């Protein structure tokens, strides 16, 4: 998961197909949700507000695999 902080894209490398990526704002509203493919995934963040902190969650078969914070520069 990089870059963090980032600008235009989030890159998820080494993901397993069928994993799901979700991005939430600080108020807990779901901003983005998409299924990932094997290998590298590129997620556009052009539409997100600069200077904000977002919470991301990656799940596989409804089990949380990874969670964290991401900051848009």
């Amino acid at each position: 998961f990089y870059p963090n902080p980032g600008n235009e894209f989030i890159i998820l490398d080494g993901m397993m197909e069928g994993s799901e990526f979700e991005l939430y704002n600080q108020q807990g509203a779901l901003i983005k949700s998409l299924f990932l493919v094997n290998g590298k995934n590129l997620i556009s963040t052009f539409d997100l507000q600069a200077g904000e902190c977002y919470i991301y969650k990656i799940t596989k078969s409804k089990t949380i695999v990874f969670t964290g914070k991401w900051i848009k520069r």
Side-chain angles (χ1 to χ4, degrees):
F1 189 98
Y2 60 94
N4 193 4
N7 288 321
E8 301 165 352
F9 297 97
I10 295 171
I11 300 169
L12 297 167
D13 207 356
M15 294 292 108
M16 294 173 33
E17 188 163 342
S19 296
E20 186 175 7
F21 172 82
E22 294 178 337
L23 190 68
Y24 298 86
N25 66 16
Q26 287 293 311
Q27 292 73 39
L30 180 63
I31 304 298
K32 291 185 181 282
S33 177
L34 54 105
F35 285 97
L36 304 174
V37 297
N38 283 334
K40 187 179 278 188
N41 293 264
L42 188 67
I43 301 166
S44 173
T45 58
F46 283 104
D47 57 331
L48 300 180
Q49 179 71 35
E52 295 291 320
C53 181
Y54 297 88
I55 307 298
Y56 63 89
K57 179 170 67 171
I58 299 169
T59 58
K60 176 72 175 169
S61 302
K62 300 189 181 200
T63 300
I64 296 174
V65 176
F66 198 74
T67 188
K69 295 180 181 178
W70 180 78
I71 299 170
K72 167 89 184 242
R73 278 195 246 178

